[in-house]
Each structure stands twice: as structure tokens, then as C-alpha cells.
Amino acid sequence: YDAWTEEGILEYYWGEHIHLGVYSEAERAAGYTKKDFKQAKYDFIDEMLRFSGAPPNPQSILDVGCGFGGTSRHLAKKFPGAQVKGKCWHHPVAQAGRARHRAGQGARGAERQLS
């Protein structure tokens, strides 16, 4: 896992999220491979947010186990008025996420932390 993180293999093949994604009944019937794999991951985030019962405009979001921070960035862009914090305890992945954030890939209101 660490070596793949350092070499960029995980991000290259999986994007910013190591989620499997979500597919609607219609998408599965049409053939799930016709949907962009990375878009399916963003759809998964949105579906989990809906499932959580979160308010329509949250003021703060804590992404525990945020990894590279892709979900944190997605949520910060989706809710620009919210304070988004990503917490990651896996040092190499947290470093990669912080580097992305510092390089301008972070969204306004997003903050990276390592505990």
C-alpha cells in the first residue's frame, strides 16, 4: 500500500478515491462498464451523503480516513460554505493529500490534518 502510494499506482488506476462506485439499476442493465469508473466513485460519495441524512447545506464536514482527500475536496466544492476537515492516520497517504492541497488542488474551506 505504501509503495503503491509513493509510486502513484493507486491514483493512476483508481483516481482520488479507493471506493468501488455506485451504479443505478439502469446503468447495471446497460452494462456497468459503460459508465466512467471514476464518475461512479463521485456518485458513490453523493449517495452516501444522501444516505447519511446530512442537512442540505452542512456547515462542517469531517471526513475520517480521508486518504488522498478526494472525498474531502469533492464535498468542499459541493458545499463551498462548509468547513471540511480530512483526517488521515496513514502517513504516506496523508503526505500525498497535503501535497495536493498545498499545490492548489484543495478546495476553499478544505483543510488537511494528520493525527
Side-chain angles (χ1 to χ4, degrees):
Y1 186 75
D2 290 349
W4 288 3
T5 298
E6 291 170 10
E7 293 170 4
I9 292 172
L10 289 175
E11 293 174 87
Y12 179 80
Y13 288 107
W14 288 82
E16 295 187 310
H17 312 281
I18 304 182
H19 304 299
L20 295 178
V22 69
Y23 300 85
S24 68
E25 290 292 330
E27 290 165 336
R28 285 194 297 265
Y32 70 93
T33 58
K34 294 183 178 167
K35 181 176 184 178
D36 180 71
F37 183 54
K38 292 178 182 177
Q39 181 59 50
K41 295 168 185 240
Y42 287 107
D43 293 347
F44 177 81
I45 296 165
D46 294 338
E47 182 65 18
M48 290 298 101
L49 183 64
R50 185 195 64 73
F51 180 76
S52 77
N57 292 303
Q59 297 301 303
S60 62
I61 299 169
L62 176 61
D63 182 7
V64 178
C66 66
F68 300 119
T71 298
S72 300
R73 285 188 292 279
H74 174 72
L75 293 172
K77 289 173 186 172
K78 186 176 185 85
F79 303 107
Q83 179 66 31
V84 179
K85 289 188 178 184
K87 299 284 268 178
C88 182
W89 288 267
H90 192 77
H91 192 68
V93 175
Q95 281 184 310
R98 279 196 307 275
R100 261 204 187 125
H101 189 73
R102 284 191 301 271
Q105 295 177 15
R108 184 175 166 265
E111 178 181 328
R112 297 280 308 169
Q113 294 184 350
L114 173 66
S115 296

